[in-house]
Amino acid sequence: MMNSLVKKIMFGAGLLLVLIAVPHFLKFHHQDLLIFLTINVLVVASYRIVTLTGEWSLIHAVMMGVGGYTATLLFKNYELGMWFTLPLAGGVSALIAAILCFPLFRMTQFYFLIGSFAAGEAIRLTWIQYVNPFGGTGGLSGVEPPIIGGIDFLDAIPYYYLTLVVVSICLFILYRIENSRIGLTLHAVHWKAALAESVGVDTWRYRALAFIVGSFFVGVAGGLKVHYLGTITPNQFGVGYMVFILIWVIVGGYNKFYGPVIGVIVLTMFDESIRGFDEIRPAIYGAMLIVSILFLPLGLESIPAKLKAWFGVGSAPDEPPLTDK
Amino acid sequence: MPVLEIKNVTKQFGGLTALNDISFNIEEGEIRGLIGPNGAGKSTMFKNIAGFYAPTKGSIVYQGKQIEGKKPHTISELGIVRTFQETTLFQELTVFENALVGCHINARTDLFSAIFGLDRKKQKAAEEKVMEVLDFMGLSDRKNQLASELPLGSQRALAISVALVSEPKLMLMDEPFAGMNPEETNHMMDLTRKVRESGITIVLVEHDMKAVMGLCHYLTVLNFGQLLAEGTPEEIRNNDKVIEAYLGGAN
Amino acid sequence: MELILQFIINGLIQGGFFALFAVGLVLIFGVMSVVNFAHGELVMIGAYTIWLLHAQNGFGFIPAIFVAVMLVTIIGLLMERFLFRPTRDDPLAGLICSIGVLFILQVVATLVGGDGPSKQVPPPFHGTLVLFDFLRIPYQRIFSLVVSVGALSLLWYFLTRTKLGWALRAVALDREAAALQGININRISMIAIGVGGALAGLAGALMAPLTNINPHMGHNVIITAFIVTIVGGVGSLSGAVLAAVLYALFHTFVTVYFGGTVATICGLILMVVVLIVKPTGIMGVRVSE
């Protein structure tokens, strides 16, 4: 017991050390990438809580955009600092999600998927259509990171630490939710909705809760991104980005909390290694998605367990379908 | 006063009438058998009571309150809990975790408390309740096993435990004896009596006549969506209409 | 009055295209219960084939259409055999595979046509039909409308008058029951995606001279197809055709007055409303409980 706790602390301390040290060994371009990677970790982790109830939404990328646009507009129009824009970015995303719950969660499965896609596209096209205040296709720019105590967070390394802190707090909260009784109920809603209902679970409320919480955190991620990047456009949050989220989650493994995180880290490193093949990069991802679904349905996360089973220690993990019919 | 009153309930699917003007009462503390040949409408009746269907006509009154058409989770909050025909369990969770899902109503937690661990007291109470029920159902030494590893009899017992944890007043059991060997059936009968002695009214849909005749105080017989007969097991055994319906169904 | 008539004519022609690709999507979803996200890219490949063969290499327009239809049909068949069949028990897995295909086809198009501006195909049919002095319909559009209507009629005949078509509809209604009756699901799935692919290829080929061709044109196509499918009622072919025509009229009209983006936003909102109010669509049949 004590031993495992010590191990955990050692592991945590080691991880922290690596996370703190890593930007100092990177070139500037890679420091940039590290920040986006950290933000994307939050994006996939927040997507995971939505998928816990078995509903695969296609609006997550747009919800990130909602957070991004909120932060941008608050910064530009009211000169609010990042400490206000980030929670408000999450809050507005959560609010929009809460409103969308009423139409969207009358549907399940395929209908929910298409419905969420439609709602997302409608929001995104609104940004394109209404140049005032959203800036149209060209988007908005001029968002700046904060200056706190003389540290200019425009520099990559300080901003990375800031992102790291925010993302870590968010991940901790998401992890706590997933491992609480609420997480257990979300699981119940996914796999045996009728049984859950018969012991008093309002499945609608829990689907909605997961969706709202997921949207809040992806909104925060959107705020983090725009404060570093300085610009925001509707196309950053299009189907293309949504598909990347799906790829990260699925290739990493959607069955465990850390699966999507592994997915986004491994694929970002992979992405760097195929730089120079820009033209065919989408096809490589497409092929990877297909191969992953067909041959590694539980994702990278399941490889250790599979290897163990192959060598005859431990049993192979079950492979539940992505959705029930 | 009866605990549950079914008043002129009709359920139609498109042109098909699955239940036609059915009325009967369930008395507090009894074990009621709801029997009939396949397709008689027993499961449809259950689903109407538990809120999975809304009756086309008629009303369902529970403790003096109309409940027809309410959502399943609202009805279970009122104290009516159903168990399922198959072994509907979370196969990938442990026995303990399965039962914990049943705690939903009595130990509800909110997002904030869940994140900051403010619900420890509730959590502890829920865990104690789960252990109490698992003890009661004879499952406590299997609490860390996965549900999928349990033999059939224990899976059914666990399904009832999940329902019991939610502290129901009325339990709808859908074919709890299906596929059991005589030994398991006997054990299950003992468990069912124990549940009833703890103060829970039970309605049982079942094909296993030995279990039905041995357990139930009173039987309600459905056939082709009609109420065919009501009476004690002895009366039903000797009822010509019932015999005919069952023999007719066998042909 | 004149303007309205012109709207209606243009809307009908547009509706023909919409119907061609939406019907394919419905067919594939009905039979295989998989949402083919790459359906827009199948249309795009059809259009690229015309551009490559007809506009770039001087093939005749009609033979190029045949090649386009064949090519897209083959892509569809490969998708069924290697992606949808292995994932048949898990509809979402099939959908995600189709997203993979979407990316691959876009890259193929980019490699074939290069980056740069959208491609145009000069209309092979010249001239304009003038009716009552005020209705002007280019022959190219008339040709498209006639071919679309012809293809849809052929499909209707196949589905309602042939044994194979009957089997296909049986699978769409209830796959398990159909399988129990001895219908070969694999064969029917191949036919469904074959027909769906052929229609998508045809739609792309017919649209080629009337639109901008680029690797991302599939995006608008799939959005339109979703709207039409949902509004028409998932699984209802006649609903899809009707919805295609109605939506095309609506879209043409709103585009003229408020612009294309507003038209699409309205369409998407309409679709969400239909999903809420009547998830079975205008012609859909309620799935039994």
Side-chain angles (χ1 to χ4, degrees), chain A:
Chain A
M1 189 74 184
M2 203 54 212
N3 198 15
S4 83
L5 187 69
V6 171
K7 257 188 195 168
K8 264 187 188 167
I9 293 173
M10 297 268 285
F11 178 76
L15 188 68
L16 192 68
L17 215 67
V18 171
L19 288 174
I20 291 172
V22 73
H24 297 283
F25 296 99
L26 295 175
K27 283 182 253 158
F28 176 71
H29 158 74
H30 285 128
Q31 291 174 346
D32 253 9
L33 210 71
L34 186 64
I35 291 169
F36 295 128
L37 171 59
T38 314
I39 294 170
N40 284 337
V41 165
L42 180 56
V43 172
V44 290
S46 58
Y47 189 57
R48 180 180 155 70
I49 199 159
V50 179
T51 62
L52 273 185
T53 58
E55 304 295 359
W56 291 70
S57 104
L58 292 183
I59 200 176
H60 207 63
V62 173
M63 282 302 171
M64 184 181 185
V66 171
Y69 272 99
T70 307
T72 307
L73 292 173
L74 289 173
F75 180 86
K76 289 183 70 107
N77 296 341
Y78 305 101
E79 286 166 17
L80 285 182
M82 199 168 167
W83 304 117
F84 296 101
T85 57
L86 278 195
L88 284 170
V92 172
S93 290
L95 184 72
I96 303 266
I99 295 166
L100 285 175
C101 281
F102 290 95
L104 290 185
F105 285 107
R106 295 174 61 113
M107 321 162 195
T108 56
Q109 304 291 318
F110 157 75
Y111 296 92
F112 175 77
L113 194 102
I114 300 300
S116 65
F117 175 72
E121 272 303 298
I123 293 175
R124 216 173 59 82
L125 289 175
T126 310
W127 298 331
I128 293 175
Q129 175 67 24
Y130 296 98
V131 179
N132 182 28
F134 300 117
T137 314
L140 299 165
S141 55
V143 190
E144 287 158 19
I147 299 174
I148 305 162
I151 305 169
D152 187 350
F153 282 91
L154 186 61
D155 288 337
I157 291 181
Y159 199 85
Y160 165 70
Y161 288 138
L162 181 75
T163 310
L164 193 62
V165 170
V166 174
V167 170
S168 303
I169 293 169
C170 295
L171 285 188
F172 173 75
I173 294 172
L174 285 166
Y175 184 80
R176 289 285 300 186
I177 296 173
E178 186 174 331
N179 288 284
S180 70
R181 286 259 313 292
I182 292 180
L184 183 67
T185 311
L186 294 176
H187 180 94
V189 168
H190 182 180
W191 294 109
K192 294 274 153 46
L195 177 57
E197 280 180 331
S198 75
V199 292
V201 177
D202 183 347
T203 51
W204 188 93
R205 260 194 59 194
Y206 277 84
R207 286 199 174 102
L209 179 75
F211 183 55
I212 293 168
V213 170
S215 299
F216 176 87
F217 286 108
V218 84
V220 172
L224 275 173
K225 187 173 185 178
V226 72
H227 271 284
Y228 185 68
L229 204 57
T231 57
I232 188 165
T233 65
N235 286 341
Q236 288 169 1
F237 310 102
V239 189
Y241 186 63
M242 185 64 233
V243 170
F244 271 103
I245 299 175
L246 281 175
I247 295 176
W248 290 327
V249 171
I250 286 169
V251 173
Y254 56 90
N255 238 11
K256 296 254 164 59
F257 185 80
Y258 54 85
V261 178
I262 293 175
V264 70
I265 294 172
V266 170
L267 287 186
T268 306
M269 294 200 291
F270 172 75
D271 194 67
E272 265 310 286
S273 68
I274 56 169
R275 215 160 252 288
F277 299 95
D278 277 357
E279 246 188 1
I280 59 164
R281 206 144 52 136
I284 295 174
Y285 275 99
M288 206 153 46
L289 193 57
I290 291 170
V291 169
S292 173
I293 284 280
L294 294 183
F295 302 108
L296 198 60
L298 286 184
L300 297 171
E301 160 266 298
S302 67
I303 289 179
K306 277 199 164 171
L307 280 180
K308 270 190 197 163
W310 197 69
F311 283 111
V313 273
S315 57
D318 282 344
E319 292 180 352
L322 295 172
T323 50
D324 302 345
K325 250 187 290 180

Side-chain angles (χ1 to χ4, degrees), chain C residues 175-220:
Chain C
R175 188 155 59 194
E176 264 121 58
L180 285 177
Q181 295 207 348
I183 294 175
N184 182 341
I185 304 291
N186 285 341
R187 181 153 163 255
I188 296 296
S189 298
M190 283 298 223
I191 292 170
I193 199 159
V195 173
L199 293 175
L202 182 64
L206 292 175
M207 279 161 75
L210 302 169
T211 186
N212 291 323
I213 301 169
N214 62 59
H216 304 287
M217 64 185 281
H219 184 66
N220 278 331

